[in-house]
């Protein structure tokens, strides 16, 4: 076994949103303290942490001081600049390693990496400018989805196009950002696997969840997903392959399309994942604690599903229903402590459990 | 329904130990922020709170500023001076109210209060000085337990005496502190009920736990307790009577002796209770969240027991076993983030679940 960080160690978390908040809570349960690094004016995670450094991702003095004060660094947000992670890595262990961050933040690199592992993705083509659109459409067919290579999440930076003219217009709206075109997969359902890999290479995967998105934002995750035994196994094996190829440490969220002819990997997020929030109530050890265990070099915990579950995000105004939800029997209510309600903003979630089928 | 505090409100917690830490975590899950008031140099709860005021219980300027910054005040520690609670009560709601604090902190007042409700306690007698010992022994018999009236917890401030000479010597060691003598109850088992009462008067009681103490410190709690249906009902009804008599808001821990001839109330703690830690894993809504719900004026949550459970405290050096416990299947490990290990100090606990019998 590698050296484990003892209780009392300090975990540095890059990003101060709700994922950081739930990570900090999980860390506290195991006797760790957390230090949040978040440039924004508000950081829900800082309310459950010992310290908060509010500084820019490029502020090397602040980053160096942060590194001095922590024993390990992790992130709750995949758009942390790779240079930030590399700077910190020279001072303290960064887990998962910056390579996962680097690949996951670029949709072209990500797809090439996945194909390189023998995993199926939607057909895709690089677009190096307006002149490349015709060639890209020839590779993917139409309709297709034009996506920026970087900074895409929750449906941002992507648009569905049905013609070359639409693709041209969308690319112009992206303002010359590097982009890719992806073919549309005729899928039956979207599923995801939350996997975790320990410092010793042990892998635990939670049962695949079935996800429903609206306007690009996750609305609901259900377990068990309506997959055949073979599809579920394939999803778990693909997730394990990604974890091992990256020599990954921590939790990853891998999204799939389940289609008639098999599974397509859509993308992965090198962090705890919204579609794994059901694990808080439905598993002995949830994704947050297992992430902390992994990055601290501890043995991974039991991820077996104890209940069937449905997790529903509270997006924007939906959080106004908190009174009714708090009174509803069998509902586990989670609110993220965000001061400002905005449309499309994840304000909380609820999980409903049912006896395991 | 009374007015409920909305998410985003700030909960002030008097005391910064592990109970405050677990309360702060529960509060954060519901979207609240916490502000800890703790005079000591270390406060495990402050690591999961937005703010920490480190000041004396008598520091009125600090207390006034604390009251200004919070929406409701609660406590995790029953030896907060009543004057502190009264000072705060003039500024913000204090829940549970100072009266519960006042009664619970004095063993004589507590027993008189319990008897006044028609609840059975061990026989007891006030000792107003060495001359009162003979009269007290006549009331309780021997052996008996000499206890300070105040500041007793975890076995502190109490000693078993078998003769008048021993009682005299023990009283001298207490240094003239007000004391009581209690008769020894020949009990079969020690049990406790964690009860909670909402701002609207609703009451939820968790299943009674069976407790094992060593050297006056709780070592283990088990649910279900080996009680008859009638004994379990009596314990729950007695707890409800105490909650209602105090017009209580929040969680209370009531300890009983189960004897051949019925239940004796030993004492109650006006706060979340060590013997209720099993509720974290074994119930939908645990004692900490239900305390937060109650003091925030929210509806109480489902306290039904989903699993059988055994909770074992990690006292002193026992926390050194964290590696093995983290690797043990089916163990939920909790560590409190205390920097210094001391004999008799509660460093963490573990809960083991079994299918419900």
């Amino acid at each position: 076994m590698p050296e484990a960080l003892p209780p009392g160690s300090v975990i540095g978390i890059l990003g101060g949103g709700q994922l950081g908040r739930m990570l900090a809570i999980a860390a506290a349960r195991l006797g760790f303290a957390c230090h949040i690094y978040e440039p924004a004016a508000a950081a829900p995670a800082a309310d459950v942490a010992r310290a908060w450094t509010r500084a820019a991702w490029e502020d090397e003095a602040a980053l160096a001081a942060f590194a001095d004060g922590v024993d390990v660094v992790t992130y709750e947000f995949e758009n942390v600049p790779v240079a930030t992670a590399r700077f910190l890595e020279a001072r303290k262990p960064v887990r998962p390693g910056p390579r996962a961050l680097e690949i996951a933040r670029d949709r072209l690199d990500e797809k090439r990496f996945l194909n390189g592992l023998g995993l199926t993705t939607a057909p895709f083509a690089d677009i190096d400018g307006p002149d490349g659109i015709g060639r890209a459409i020839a590779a993917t067919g139409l309709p297709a989805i034009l996506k920026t290579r970087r900074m895409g999440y929750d449906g941002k930076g992507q648009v569905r196009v049905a013609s070359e003219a639409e693709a041209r217009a969308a690319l112009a709206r992206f303002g010359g950002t590097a982009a890719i075109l992806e073919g549309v997969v005729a899928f039956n359902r979207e599923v995801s696997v939350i996997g975790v890999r320990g410092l010793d290479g042990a892998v635990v995967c939670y049962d695949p969840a079935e996800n429903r998105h609206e306007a690009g934002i996750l609305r609901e995750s259900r377990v068990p997903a309506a997959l055949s035994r073979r599809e579920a196994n394939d999803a778990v094996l693909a997730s394990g392959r990604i974890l091992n190829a990256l020599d990954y440490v921590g939790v990853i969220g891998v999204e799939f399309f389940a289609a008639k002819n098999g599974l397509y990997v859509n993308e992965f997020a090198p962090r705890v994942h919204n579609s794994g929030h059901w694990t808080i109530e439905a598993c002995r050890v949830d994704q947050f604690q297992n992430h902390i265990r992994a990055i601290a070099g501890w043995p991974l915990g039991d991820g077996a599903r104890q209940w069937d579950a449905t997790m529903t995000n509270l997006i924007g105004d939906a959080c106004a229903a908190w009174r009714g939800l708090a009174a509803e029997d069998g509902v586990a209510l989670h609110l993220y402590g965000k001061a400002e309600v905005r449309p499309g903003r994840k304000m909380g979630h609820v999980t409903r459990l049912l006896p395991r089928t």
Side-chain angles (χ1 to χ4, degrees), chain A residues 106-130:
Chain A
D106 185 307
R107 285 174 165 134
L108 182 64
D109 293 346
E110 187 182 21
K111 286 208 160 39
R112 286 178 174 158
F113 166 77
L114 293 168
N115 289 170
L117 296 180
L119 301 173
T120 307
T121 64
F124 64 93
D126 188 13
I127 296 186
D128 48 9

mmCIF file of all heavy atoms in Angstrom, chain A residues 106-130:
data_model
loop_
_atom_site.group_PDB
_atom_site.id
_atom_site.type_symbol
_atom_site.label_atom_id
_atom_site.label_comp_id
_atom_site.label_asym_id
_atom_site.label_seq_id
_atom_site.Cartn_x
_atom_site.Cartn_y
_atom_site.Cartn_z
ATOM 1 N N ASP A 106 -10.408 19.152 -23.518
ATOM 2 C CA ASP A 106 -10.383 19.390 -24.962
ATOM 3 C C ASP A 106 -11.128 18.253 -25.648
ATOM 4 O O ASP A 106 -10.700 17.104 -25.608
ATOM 5 C CB ASP A 106 -8.932 19.457 -25.438
ATOM 6 C CG ASP A 106 -8.848 19.825 -26.913
ATOM 7 O OD1 ASP A 106 -9.515 19.147 -27.745
ATOM 8 O OD2 ASP A 106 -8.161 20.804 -27.242
ATOM 9 N N ARG A 107 -12.267 18.605 -26.275
ATOM 10 C CA ARG A 107 -13.116 17.539 -26.821
ATOM 11 C C ARG A 107 -12.441 16.744 -27.930
ATOM 12 O O ARG A 107 -12.792 15.567 -28.136
ATOM 13 C CB ARG A 107 -14.423 18.148 -27.337
ATOM 14 C CG ARG A 107 -15.370 18.522 -26.206
ATOM 15 C CD ARG A 107 -16.586 19.247 -26.747
ATOM 16 N NE ARG A 107 -17.645 19.283 -25.751
ATOM 17 C CZ ARG A 107 -18.347 20.365 -25.438
ATOM 18 N NH1 ARG A 107 -18.119 21.516 -26.059
ATOM 19 N NH2 ARG A 107 -19.292 20.305 -24.529
ATOM 20 N N LEU A 108 -11.514 17.366 -28.644
ATOM 21 C CA LEU A 108 -10.819 16.633 -29.703
ATOM 22 C C LEU A 108 -9.829 15.639 -29.089
ATOM 23 O O LEU A 108 -9.821 14.451 -29.445
ATOM 24 C CB LEU A 108 -10.105 17.618 -30.638
ATOM 25 C CG LEU A 108 -9.381 16.972 -31.828
ATOM 26 C CD1 LEU A 108 -10.358 16.277 -32.772
ATOM 27 C CD2 LEU A 108 -8.564 18.026 -32.591
ATOM 28 N N ASP A 109 -9.021 16.122 -28.152
ATOM 29 C CA ASP A 109 -8.053 15.234 -27.492
ATOM 30 C C ASP A 109 -8.768 14.088 -26.778
ATOM 31 O O ASP A 109 -8.303 12.946 -26.785
ATOM 32 C CB ASP A 109 -7.236 16.020 -26.451
ATOM 33 C CG ASP A 109 -6.330 17.062 -27.087
ATOM 34 O OD1 ASP A 109 -6.123 16.999 -28.315
ATOM 35 O OD2 ASP A 109 -5.859 17.949 -26.359
ATOM 36 N N GLU A 110 -9.890 14.420 -26.172
ATOM 37 C CA GLU A 110 -10.653 13.428 -25.405
ATOM 38 C C GLU A 110 -11.125 12.294 -26.324
ATOM 39 O O GLU A 110 -10.968 11.112 -26.023
ATOM 40 C CB GLU A 110 -11.854 14.138 -24.775
ATOM 41 C CG GLU A 110 -12.668 13.305 -23.805
ATOM 42 C CD GLU A 110 -13.876 14.108 -23.281
ATOM 43 O OE1 GLU A 110 -14.294 15.093 -23.936
ATOM 44 O OE2 GLU A 110 -14.391 13.743 -22.210
ATOM 45 N N LYS A 111 -11.688 12.667 -27.482
ATOM 46 C CA LYS A 111 -12.200 11.634 -28.392
ATOM 47 C C LYS A 111 -11.064 10.796 -28.959
ATOM 48 O O LYS A 111 -11.195 9.575 -29.100
ATOM 49 C CB LYS A 111 -13.018 12.291 -29.498
ATOM 50 C CG LYS A 111 -14.378 12.771 -28.990
ATOM 51 C CD LYS A 111 -15.419 12.783 -30.076
ATOM 52 C CE LYS A 111 -16.826 12.782 -29.484
ATOM 53 N NZ LYS A 111 -17.008 13.605 -28.289
ATOM 54 N N ARG A 112 -9.949 11.449 -29.282
ATOM 55 C CA ARG A 112 -8.806 10.687 -29.813
ATOM 56 C C ARG A 112 -8.278 9.721 -28.751
ATOM 57 O O ARG A 112 -7.916 8.586 -29.063
ATOM 58 C CB ARG A 112 -7.706 11.651 -30.258
ATOM 59 C CG ARG A 112 -8.063 12.357 -31.557
ATOM 60 C CD ARG A 112 -6.986 13.349 -31.965
ATOM 61 N NE ARG A 112 -7.277 13.902 -33.286
ATOM 62 C CZ ARG A 112 -6.784 15.065 -33.735
ATOM 63 N NH1 ARG A 112 -5.978 15.790 -32.971
ATOM 64 N NH2 ARG A 112 -7.094 15.485 -34.955
ATOM 65 N N PHE A 113 -8.223 10.193 -27.530
ATOM 66 C CA PHE A 113 -7.775 9.339 -26.417
ATOM 67 C C PHE A 113 -8.695 8.125 -26.265
ATOM 68 O O PHE A 113 -8.240 6.983 -26.147
ATOM 69 C CB PHE A 113 -7.740 10.171 -25.124
ATOM 70 C CG PHE A 113 -7.627 9.364 -23.866
ATOM 71 C CD1 PHE A 113 -6.408 8.818 -23.476
ATOM 72 C CD2 PHE A 113 -8.738 9.150 -23.055
ATOM 73 C CE1 PHE A 113 -6.313 8.074 -22.306
ATOM 74 C CE2 PHE A 113 -8.643 8.401 -21.886
ATOM 75 C CZ PHE A 113 -7.421 7.853 -21.509
ATOM 76 N N LEU A 114 -10.009 8.368 -26.310
ATOM 77 C CA LEU A 114 -10.979 7.280 -26.136
ATOM 78 C C LEU A 114 -10.859 6.270 -27.277
ATOM 79 O O LEU A 114 -10.818 5.054 -27.041
ATOM 80 C CB LEU A 114 -12.402 7.850 -26.056
ATOM 81 C CG LEU A 114 -12.687 8.699 -24.804
ATOM 82 C CD1 LEU A 114 -14.006 9.468 -24.963
ATOM 83 C CD2 LEU A 114 -12.728 7.821 -23.547
ATOM 84 N N ASN A 115 -10.784 6.761 -28.509
ATOM 85 C CA ASN A 115 -10.639 5.856 -29.655
ATOM 86 C C ASN A 115 -9.339 5.069 -29.545
ATOM 87 O O ASN A 115 -9.277 3.888 -29.902
ATOM 88 C CB ASN A 115 -10.666 6.640 -30.973
ATOM 89 C CG ASN A 115 -12.051 7.199 -31.325
ATOM 90 O OD1 ASN A 115 -12.192 7.996 -32.243
ATOM 91 N ND2 ASN A 115 -13.082 6.804 -30.588
ATOM 92 N N GLY A 116 -8.312 5.732 -29.041
ATOM 93 C CA GLY A 116 -7.015 5.065 -28.867
ATOM 94 C C GLY A 116 -7.087 3.902 -27.885
ATOM 95 O O GLY A 116 -6.276 2.975 -27.939
ATOM 96 N N LEU A 117 -8.039 3.937 -26.994
ATOM 97 C CA LEU A 117 -8.254 2.829 -26.048
ATOM 98 C C LEU A 117 -9.176 1.756 -26.619
ATOM 99 O O LEU A 117 -9.544 0.807 -25.924
ATOM 100 C CB LEU A 117 -8.875 3.348 -24.743
ATOM 101 C CG LEU A 117 -8.055 4.307 -23.887
ATOM 102 C CD1 LEU A 117 -8.836 4.697 -22.635
ATOM 103 C CD2 LEU A 117 -6.727 3.676 -23.497
ATOM 104 N N GLY A 118 -9.605 1.948 -27.880
ATOM 105 C CA GLY A 118 -10.515 0.983 -28.478
ATOM 106 C C GLY A 118 -11.965 1.222 -28.097
ATOM 107 O O GLY A 118 -12.814 0.357 -28.289
ATOM 108 N N LEU A 119 -12.262 2.388 -27.547
ATOM 109 C CA LEU A 119 -13.642 2.695 -27.160
ATOM 110 C C LEU A 119 -14.329 3.467 -28.283
ATOM 111 O O LEU A 119 -13.714 4.296 -28.952
ATOM 112 C CB LEU A 119 -13.660 3.507 -25.865
ATOM 113 C CG LEU A 119 -13.003 2.810 -24.666
ATOM 114 C CD1 LEU A 119 -12.917 3.754 -23.469
ATOM 115 C CD2 LEU A 119 -13.763 1.538 -24.294
ATOM 116 N N THR A 120 -15.602 3.154 -28.482
ATOM 117 C CA THR A 120 -16.370 3.771 -29.562
ATOM 118 C C THR A 120 -16.880 5.140 -29.135
ATOM 119 O O THR A 120 -17.410 5.288 -28.033
ATOM 120 C CB THR A 120 -17.576 2.879 -29.918
ATOM 121 O OG1 THR A 120 -17.095 1.568 -30.178
ATOM 122 C CG2 THR A 120 -18.315 3.413 -31.139
ATOM 123 N N THR A 121 -16.725 6.115 -30.003
ATOM 124 C CA THR A 121 -17.325 7.435 -29.783
ATOM 125 C C THR A 121 -18.183 7.751 -31.004
ATOM 126 O O THR A 121 -18.133 7.038 -32.013
ATOM 127 C CB THR A 121 -16.260 8.542 -29.663
ATOM 128 O OG1 THR A 121 -15.571 8.630 -30.921
ATOM 129 C CG2 THR A 121 -15.260 8.263 -28.549
ATOM 130 N N ALA A 122 -18.954 8.824 -30.927
ATOM 131 C CA ALA A 122 -19.618 9.321 -32.132
ATOM 132 C C ALA A 122 -18.537 9.678 -33.151
ATOM 133 O O ALA A 122 -17.416 10.025 -32.770
ATOM 134 C CB ALA A 122 -20.437 10.567 -31.785
ATOM 135 N N PRO A 123 -18.869 9.582 -34.475
ATOM 136 C CA PRO A 123 -17.898 10.057 -35.462
ATOM 137 C C PRO A 123 -17.662 11.548 -35.244
ATOM 138 O O PRO A 123 -18.570 12.265 -34.838
ATOM 139 C CB PRO A 123 -18.585 9.789 -36.802
ATOM 140 C CG PRO A 123 -20.032 9.659 -36.496
ATOM 141 C CD PRO A 123 -20.119 9.146 -35.088
ATOM 142 N N PHE A 124 -16.453 12.009 -35.471
ATOM 143 C CA PHE A 124 -16.153 13.423 -35.217
ATOM 144 C C PHE A 124 -15.090 13.901 -36.191
ATOM 145 O O PHE A 124 -14.391 13.098 -36.820
ATOM 146 C CB PHE A 124 -15.660 13.626 -33.782
ATOM 147 C CG PHE A 124 -14.362 12.923 -33.487
ATOM 148 C CD1 PHE A 124 -13.142 13.577 -33.632
ATOM 149 C CD2 PHE A 124 -14.354 11.591 -33.089
ATOM 150 C CE1 PHE A 124 -11.942 12.914 -33.380
ATOM 151 C CE2 PHE A 124 -13.158 10.936 -32.836
ATOM 152 C CZ PHE A 124 -11.951 11.591 -32.983
ATOM 153 N N ALA A 125 -15.014 15.213 -36.324
ATOM 154 C CA ALA A 125 -13.978 15.793 -37.180
ATOM 155 C C ALA A 125 -13.576 17.136 -36.608
ATOM 156 O O ALA A 125 -14.409 17.900 -36.128
ATOM 157 C CB ALA A 125 -14.498 15.955 -38.610
ATOM 158 N N ASP A 126 -12.287 17.378 -36.670
ATOM 159 C CA ASP A 126 -11.702 18.648 -36.268
ATOM 160 C C ASP A 126 -12.136 19.718 -37.272
ATOM 161 O O ASP A 126 -12.270 19.435 -38.459
ATOM 162 C CB ASP A 126 -10.183 18.457 -36.325
ATOM 163 C CG ASP A 126 -9.428 19.649 -35.753
ATOM 164 O OD1 ASP A 126 -10.050 20.503 -35.104
ATOM 165 O OD2 ASP A 126 -8.201 19.677 -35.961
ATOM 166 N N ILE A 127 -12.396 20.928 -36.778
ATOM 167 C CA ILE A 127 -12.690 22.034 -37.692
ATOM 168 C C ILE A 127 -11.667 23.127 -37.427
ATOM 169 O O ILE A 127 -11.659 23.718 -36.339
ATOM 170 C CB ILE A 127 -14.113 22.593 -37.473
ATOM 171 C CG1 ILE A 127 -15.140 21.520 -37.802
ATOM 172 C CG2 ILE A 127 -14.345 23.830 -38.328
ATOM 173 C CD1 ILE A 127 -16.574 21.998 -37.765
ATOM 174 N N ASP A 128 -10.804 23.353 -38.391
ATOM 175 C CA ASP A 128 -9.736 24.329 -38.154
ATOM 176 C C ASP A 128 -10.094 25.695 -38.741
ATOM 177 O O ASP A 128 -9.246 26.570 -38.835
ATOM 178 C CB ASP A 128 -8.399 23.814 -38.683
ATOM 179 C CG ASP A 128 -8.533 23.286 -40.098
ATOM 180 O OD1 ASP A 128 -9.615 23.491 -40.713
ATOM 181 O OD2 ASP A 128 -7.586 22.655 -40.604
ATOM 182 N N GLY A 129 -11.344 25.902 -39.109
ATOM 183 C CA GLY A 129 -11.782 27.190 -39.671
ATOM 184 C C GLY A 129 -12.960 26.949 -40.595
ATOM 185 O O GLY A 129 -13.310 25.789 -40.853
ATOM 186 N N PRO A 130 -13.596 27.999 -41.111
ATOM 187 C CA PRO A 130 -14.788 27.858 -41.944
ATOM 188 C C PRO A 130 -14.558 26.931 -43.144
ATOM 189 O O PRO A 130 -15.470 26.204 -43.550
ATOM 190 C CB PRO A 130 -15.080 29.291 -42.410
ATOM 191 C CG PRO A 130 -14.394 30.175 -41.421
ATOM 192 C CD PRO A 130 -13.231 29.419 -40.874
#
